[in-house]
């Protein structure tokens, strides 16, 4: 992953951010989901909370693969 020093991006827009979100405690993830506004960054950016939750569940499920 490449990044510029000092740059930021919302967690739901990056692979690394999604991994961090996937392993948050349920209460923290629920709070994040209630407060985040999902704006597209690319045509592939997830902008639906239910789709994002599904992807985070998939990420958690692949830890033993």
């Amino acid at each position: 992953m490449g990044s510029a020093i000092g740059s930021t991006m919302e967690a739901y827009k990056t692979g690394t951010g999604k991994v961090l979100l996937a392993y948050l405690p349920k209460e923290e993830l629920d709070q994040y989901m209630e407060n985040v506004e999902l704006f597209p960054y690319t045509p592939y950016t997830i902008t639906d909370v239910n789709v994002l939750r599904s992807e985070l569940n998939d990420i958690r499920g692949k830890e033993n693969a």
Side-chain angles (χ1 to χ4, degrees):
M1 179 186 125
S3 62
I5 294 173
S7 68
T8 62
M9 185 165 297
E10 294 85 355
Y12 71 90
K13 293 181 181 177
T14 70
T16 303
K18 289 176 191 173
V19 169
L20 295 173
L21 290 173
Y23 289 94
L24 281 176
K26 182 182 181 326
E27 297 78 22
E28 288 183 45
L29 180 59
D30 289 344
Q31 183 178 7
Y32 177 84
M33 293 296 205
E34 288 174 13
N35 294 302
V36 69
E37 294 186 49
L38 302 176
F39 293 106
Y41 182 68
T42 73
Y44 306 103
T45 304
I46 295 173
T47 57
D48 180 282
V49 172
N50 294 322
V51 175
L52 180 56
R53 283 188 183 274
S54 178
E55 182 156 319
L56 298 179
N57 285 334
D58 288 346
I59 291 168
R60 281 190 299 276
K62 293 179 181 175
E63 66 185 36
N64 296 318

